[in-house]
mmCIF file of all heavy atoms in Angstrom:
data_model
loop_
_atom_site.group_PDB
_atom_site.id
_atom_site.type_symbol
_atom_site.label_atom_id
_atom_site.label_comp_id
_atom_site.label_asym_id
_atom_site.label_seq_id
_atom_site.Cartn_x
_atom_site.Cartn_y
_atom_site.Cartn_z
ATOM 1 N N TRP A 615 -74.091 45.082 80.285
ATOM 2 C CA TRP A 615 -75.283 44.574 80.954
ATOM 3 C C TRP A 615 -76.113 43.663 80.050
ATOM 4 O O TRP A 615 -77.157 43.170 80.469
ATOM 5 C CB TRP A 615 -76.149 45.735 81.443
ATOM 6 C CG TRP A 615 -75.617 46.377 82.675
ATOM 7 C CD1 TRP A 615 -74.737 47.409 82.759
ATOM 8 C CD2 TRP A 615 -75.925 46.027 84.033
ATOM 9 N NE1 TRP A 615 -74.475 47.727 84.070
ATOM 10 C CE2 TRP A 615 -75.199 46.900 84.873
ATOM 11 C CE3 TRP A 615 -76.755 45.056 84.618
ATOM 12 C CZ2 TRP A 615 -75.259 46.827 86.257
ATOM 13 C CZ3 TRP A 615 -76.823 44.996 86.001
ATOM 14 C CH2 TRP A 615 -76.089 45.868 86.802
ATOM 15 N N HIS A 616 -75.699 43.465 78.814
ATOM 16 C CA HIS A 616 -76.460 42.606 77.918
ATOM 17 C C HIS A 616 -76.213 41.138 78.235
ATOM 18 O O HIS A 616 -75.134 40.752 78.693
ATOM 19 C CB HIS A 616 -76.089 42.901 76.466
ATOM 20 C CG HIS A 616 -76.738 44.149 75.953
ATOM 21 N ND1 HIS A 616 -76.936 44.413 74.630
ATOM 22 C CD2 HIS A 616 -77.253 45.228 76.601
ATOM 23 C CE1 HIS A 616 -77.538 45.585 74.468
ATOM 24 N NE2 HIS A 616 -77.730 46.094 75.666
ATOM 25 N N LEU A 617 -77.205 40.305 77.969
ATOM 26 C CA LEU A 617 -77.134 38.886 78.275
ATOM 27 C C LEU A 617 -76.265 38.155 77.261
ATOM 28 O O LEU A 617 -76.335 38.446 76.059
ATOM 29 C CB LEU A 617 -78.548 38.279 78.265
ATOM 30 C CG LEU A 617 -79.416 38.706 79.445
ATOM 31 C CD1 LEU A 617 -80.827 39.006 79.000
ATOM 32 C CD2 LEU A 617 -79.414 37.615 80.511
ATOM 33 N N PRO A 618 -75.455 37.219 77.711
ATOM 34 C CA PRO A 618 -74.601 36.476 76.780
ATOM 35 C C PRO A 618 -75.389 35.442 75.984
ATOM 36 O O PRO A 618 -76.338 34.845 76.484
ATOM 37 C CB PRO A 618 -73.584 35.794 77.705
ATOM 38 C CG PRO A 618 -74.285 35.670 79.016
ATOM 39 C CD PRO A 618 -75.202 36.858 79.116
ATOM 40 N N SER A 619 -75.035 35.266 74.731
ATOM 41 C CA SER A 619 -75.454 34.166 73.840
ATOM 42 C C SER A 619 -76.947 34.083 73.555
ATOM 43 O O SER A 619 -77.422 33.041 73.133
ATOM 44 C CB SER A 619 -74.958 32.817 74.377
ATOM 45 O OG SER A 619 -75.627 32.429 75.558
ATOM 46 N N LEU A 620 -77.710 35.165 73.816
ATOM 47 C CA LEU A 620 -79.113 35.118 73.397
ATOM 48 C C LEU A 620 -79.186 35.124 71.875
ATOM 49 O O LEU A 620 -78.323 35.714 71.218
ATOM 50 C CB LEU A 620 -79.883 36.327 73.957
ATOM 51 C CG LEU A 620 -80.273 36.266 75.425
ATOM 52 C CD1 LEU A 620 -81.076 37.521 75.791
ATOM 53 C CD2 LEU A 620 -81.075 35.041 75.768
ATOM 54 N N PRO A 621 -80.178 34.464 71.261
ATOM 55 C CA PRO A 621 -81.377 33.857 71.852
ATOM 56 C C PRO A 621 -81.238 32.376 72.163
ATOM 57 O O PRO A 621 -82.235 31.673 72.304
ATOM 58 C CB PRO A 621 -82.403 34.056 70.730
ATOM 59 C CG PRO A 621 -81.598 33.888 69.485
ATOM 60 C CD PRO A 621 -80.248 34.470 69.778
ATOM 61 N N TYR A 622 -79.993 31.874 72.273
ATOM 62 C CA TYR A 622 -79.801 30.442 72.443
ATOM 63 C C TYR A 622 -79.674 30.075 73.911
ATOM 64 O O TYR A 622 -79.247 30.880 74.746
ATOM 65 C CB TYR A 622 -78.564 29.985 71.662
ATOM 66 C CG TYR A 622 -78.705 30.227 70.180
ATOM 67 C CD1 TYR A 622 -78.078 31.307 69.568
ATOM 68 C CD2 TYR A 622 -79.503 29.402 69.401
ATOM 69 C CE1 TYR A 622 -78.227 31.554 68.219
ATOM 70 C CE2 TYR A 622 -79.653 29.633 68.046
ATOM 71 C CZ TYR A 622 -79.018 30.710 67.452
ATOM 72 O OH TYR A 622 -79.183 30.949 66.115
ATOM 73 N N PHE A 623 -80.008 28.830 74.212
ATOM 74 C CA PHE A 623 -79.907 28.348 75.580
ATOM 75 C C PHE A 623 -78.450 28.310 76.021
ATOM 76 O O PHE A 623 -78.115 28.627 77.153
ATOM 77 C CB PHE A 623 -80.549 26.962 75.685
ATOM 78 C CG PHE A 623 -80.294 26.282 77.000
ATOM 79 C CD1 PHE A 623 -80.718 26.871 78.187
ATOM 80 C CD2 PHE A 623 -79.621 25.074 77.066
ATOM 81 C CE1 PHE A 623 -80.487 26.261 79.404
ATOM 82 C CE2 PHE A 623 -79.390 24.459 78.279
ATOM 83 C CZ PHE A 623 -79.814 25.045 79.446
ATOM 84 N N ALA A 624 -77.559 27.898 75.122
ATOM 85 C CA ALA A 624 -76.138 27.862 75.436
ATOM 86 C C ALA A 624 -75.356 28.354 74.227
ATOM 87 O O ALA A 624 -75.891 28.462 73.126
ATOM 88 C CB ALA A 624 -75.711 26.451 75.837
ATOM 89 N N GLY A 625 -74.071 28.578 74.444
ATOM 90 C CA GLY A 625 -73.287 29.205 73.401
ATOM 91 C C GLY A 625 -72.690 28.265 72.390
ATOM 92 O O GLY A 625 -72.042 28.698 71.452
ATOM 93 N N ALA A 626 -72.873 26.960 72.553
ATOM 94 C CA ALA A 626 -72.284 26.015 71.606
ATOM 95 C C ALA A 626 -73.347 25.035 71.129
ATOM 96 O O ALA A 626 -74.479 25.040 71.601
ATOM 97 C CB ALA A 626 -71.139 25.264 72.279
ATOM 98 N N ARG A 627 -72.989 24.175 70.207
ATOM 99 C CA ARG A 627 -73.938 23.262 69.582
ATOM 100 C C ARG A 627 -74.286 22.110 70.516
ATOM 101 O O ARG A 627 -73.415 21.431 71.063
ATOM 102 C CB ARG A 627 -73.345 22.714 68.281
ATOM 103 C CG ARG A 627 -74.328 21.902 67.463
ATOM 104 C CD ARG A 627 -73.739 21.604 66.103
ATOM 105 N NE ARG A 627 -73.465 22.828 65.350
ATOM 106 C CZ ARG A 627 -74.394 23.469 64.658
ATOM 107 N NH1 ARG A 627 -75.623 23.032 64.619
ATOM 108 N NH2 ARG A 627 -74.087 24.578 64.005
ATOM 109 N N ILE A 628 -75.590 21.900 70.713
ATOM 110 C CA ILE A 628 -76.055 20.788 71.530
ATOM 111 C C ILE A 628 -76.110 19.541 70.671
ATOM 112 O O ILE A 628 -76.625 19.559 69.559
ATOM 113 C CB ILE A 628 -77.438 21.089 72.130
ATOM 114 C CG1 ILE A 628 -77.296 22.225 73.152
ATOM 115 C CG2 ILE A 628 -78.034 19.874 72.787
ATOM 116 C CD1 ILE A 628 -78.599 22.657 73.748
ATOM 117 N N VAL A 629 -75.576 18.447 71.178
ATOM 118 C CA VAL A 629 -75.584 17.198 70.427
ATOM 119 C C VAL A 629 -76.988 16.627 70.454
ATOM 120 O O VAL A 629 -77.509 16.267 71.502
ATOM 121 C CB VAL A 629 -74.590 16.182 71.020
ATOM 122 C CG1 VAL A 629 -74.645 14.866 70.246
ATOM 123 C CG2 VAL A 629 -73.186 16.747 70.987
ATOM 124 N N ASP A 630 -77.627 16.590 69.322
ATOM 125 C CA ASP A 630 -78.986 16.087 69.181
ATOM 126 C C ASP A 630 -79.061 15.304 67.881
ATOM 127 O O ASP A 630 -78.960 15.859 66.802
ATOM 128 C CB ASP A 630 -79.989 17.257 69.168
ATOM 129 C CG ASP A 630 -81.428 16.770 69.205
ATOM 130 O OD1 ASP A 630 -81.715 15.738 68.590
ATOM 131 O OD2 ASP A 630 -82.250 17.446 69.847
ATOM 132 N N LYS A 631 -79.198 14.006 67.989
ATOM 133 C CA LYS A 631 -79.152 13.154 66.812
ATOM 134 C C LYS A 631 -80.261 13.474 65.826
ATOM 135 O O LYS A 631 -80.153 13.214 64.640
ATOM 136 C CB LYS A 631 -79.227 11.684 67.228
ATOM 137 C CG LYS A 631 -78.010 11.222 68.023
ATOM 138 C CD LYS A 631 -78.136 9.750 68.401
ATOM 139 C CE LYS A 631 -76.910 9.295 69.184
ATOM 140 N NZ LYS A 631 -77.019 7.868 69.584
ATOM 141 N N LYS A 632 -81.345 14.032 66.320
ATOM 142 C CA LYS A 632 -82.481 14.295 65.435
ATOM 143 C C LYS A 632 -82.352 15.654 64.755
ATOM 144 O O LYS A 632 -82.695 15.806 63.593
ATOM 145 C CB LYS A 632 -83.794 14.247 66.231
ATOM 146 C CG LYS A 632 -84.138 12.861 66.750
ATOM 147 C CD LYS A 632 -85.479 12.884 67.486
ATOM 148 C CE LYS A 632 -85.855 11.514 68.005
ATOM 149 N NZ LYS A 632 -87.149 11.532 68.735
ATOM 150 N N LYS A 633 -81.880 16.661 65.484
ATOM 151 C CA LYS A 633 -81.960 18.023 64.952
ATOM 152 C C LYS A 633 -80.598 18.630 64.622
ATOM 153 O O LYS A 633 -80.471 19.396 63.681
ATOM 154 C CB LYS A 633 -82.687 18.930 65.956
ATOM 155 C CG LYS A 633 -84.120 18.503 66.184
ATOM 156 C CD LYS A 633 -84.810 19.448 67.144
ATOM 157 C CE LYS A 633 -86.250 19.019 67.393
ATOM 158 N NZ LYS A 633 -86.928 19.882 68.356
ATOM 159 N N HIS A 634 -79.563 18.310 65.406
ATOM 160 C CA HIS A 634 -78.240 18.885 65.188
ATOM 161 C C HIS A 634 -78.318 20.403 65.052
ATOM 162 O O HIS A 634 -77.832 20.992 64.100
ATOM 163 C CB HIS A 634 -77.584 18.284 63.950
ATOM 164 C CG HIS A 634 -77.316 16.820 64.091
ATOM 165 N ND1 HIS A 634 -76.326 16.322 64.906
ATOM 166 C CD2 HIS A 634 -77.924 15.751 63.520
ATOM 167 C CE1 HIS A 634 -76.325 14.994 64.837
ATOM 168 N NE2 HIS A 634 -77.277 14.627 64.015
ATOM 169 N N GLN A 635 -78.967 21.053 65.971
ATOM 170 C CA GLN A 635 -79.089 22.497 65.870
ATOM 171 C C GLN A 635 -79.043 23.125 67.245
ATOM 172 O O GLN A 635 -79.200 22.444 68.262
ATOM 173 C CB GLN A 635 -80.399 22.882 65.181
ATOM 174 C CG GLN A 635 -81.644 22.455 65.955
ATOM 175 C CD GLN A 635 -82.921 22.810 65.220
ATOM 176 O OE1 GLN A 635 -82.880 23.189 64.072
ATOM 177 N NE2 GLN A 635 -84.036 22.677 65.890
ATOM 178 N N LEU A 636 -78.770 24.420 67.268
ATOM 179 C CA LEU A 636 -78.741 25.129 68.535
ATOM 180 C C LEU A 636 -80.127 25.162 69.144
ATOM 181 O O LEU A 636 -81.124 25.334 68.451
ATOM 182 C CB LEU A 636 -78.241 26.558 68.323
ATOM 183 C CG LEU A 636 -76.756 26.699 67.962
ATOM 184 C CD1 LEU A 636 -76.466 28.136 67.579
ATOM 185 C CD2 LEU A 636 -75.876 26.287 69.122
ATOM 186 N N LYS A 637 -80.176 25.029 70.448
ATOM 187 C CA LYS A 637 -81.446 25.059 71.156
ATOM 188 C C LYS A 637 -81.801 26.519 71.447
ATOM 189 O O LYS A 637 -81.117 27.199 72.212
ATOM 190 C CB LYS A 637 -81.349 24.276 72.460
ATOM 191 C CG LYS A 637 -82.654 24.154 73.227
ATOM 192 C CD LYS A 637 -82.476 23.215 74.405
ATOM 193 C CE LYS A 637 -83.797 22.964 75.112
ATOM 194 N NZ LYS A 637 -83.632 22.000 76.233
ATOM 195 N N LYS A 638 -82.873 27.001 70.829
ATOM 196 C CA LYS A 638 -83.270 28.396 70.981
ATOM 197 C C LYS A 638 -84.312 28.532 72.086
ATOM 198 O O LYS A 638 -85.120 27.635 72.322
ATOM 199 C CB LYS A 638 -83.843 28.927 69.668
ATOM 200 C CG LYS A 638 -82.815 29.047 68.548
ATOM 201 C CD LYS A 638 -83.405 29.695 67.312
ATOM 202 C CE LYS A 638 -83.706 31.158 67.554
ATOM 203 N NZ LYS A 638 -84.116 31.859 66.318
ATOM 204 N N LEU A 639 -84.260 29.671 72.735
ATOM 205 C CA LEU A 639 -85.279 29.994 73.729
ATOM 206 C C LEU A 639 -86.503 30.563 73.032
ATOM 207 O O LEU A 639 -86.400 31.180 71.961
ATOM 208 C CB LEU A 639 -84.735 31.015 74.725
ATOM 209 C CG LEU A 639 -83.503 30.593 75.533
ATOM 210 C CD1 LEU A 639 -83.036 31.757 76.390
ATOM 211 C CD2 LEU A 639 -83.791 29.378 76.391
ATOM 212 N N TYR A 640 -87.665 30.373 73.656
ATOM 213 C CA TYR A 640 -88.879 31.007 73.147
ATOM 214 C C TYR A 640 -88.813 32.511 73.423
ATOM 215 O O TYR A 640 -88.090 32.981 74.304
ATOM 216 C CB TYR A 640 -90.121 30.408 73.818
ATOM 217 C CG TYR A 640 -90.473 29.023 73.353
ATOM 218 C CD1 TYR A 640 -90.353 27.928 74.209
ATOM 219 C CD2 TYR A 640 -90.944 28.800 72.057
ATOM 220 C CE1 TYR A 640 -90.683 26.649 73.788
ATOM 221 C CE2 TYR A 640 -91.280 27.524 71.630
ATOM 222 C CZ TYR A 640 -91.143 26.449 72.496
ATOM 223 O OH TYR A 640 -91.469 25.183 72.069
#
Side-chain angles (χ1 to χ4, degrees):
W615 283 89
H616 282 202
L617 289 138
S619 70
L620 283 182
Y622 298 102
F623 170 60
R627 188 170 299 277
I628 292 177
V629 178
D630 187 324
K631 294 180 179 179
K632 293 182 180 179
K633 297 182 181 178
H634 296 288
Q635 63 182 11
L636 290 171
K637 184 173 186 178
K638 292 185 69 173
L639 300 176
Y640 287 112

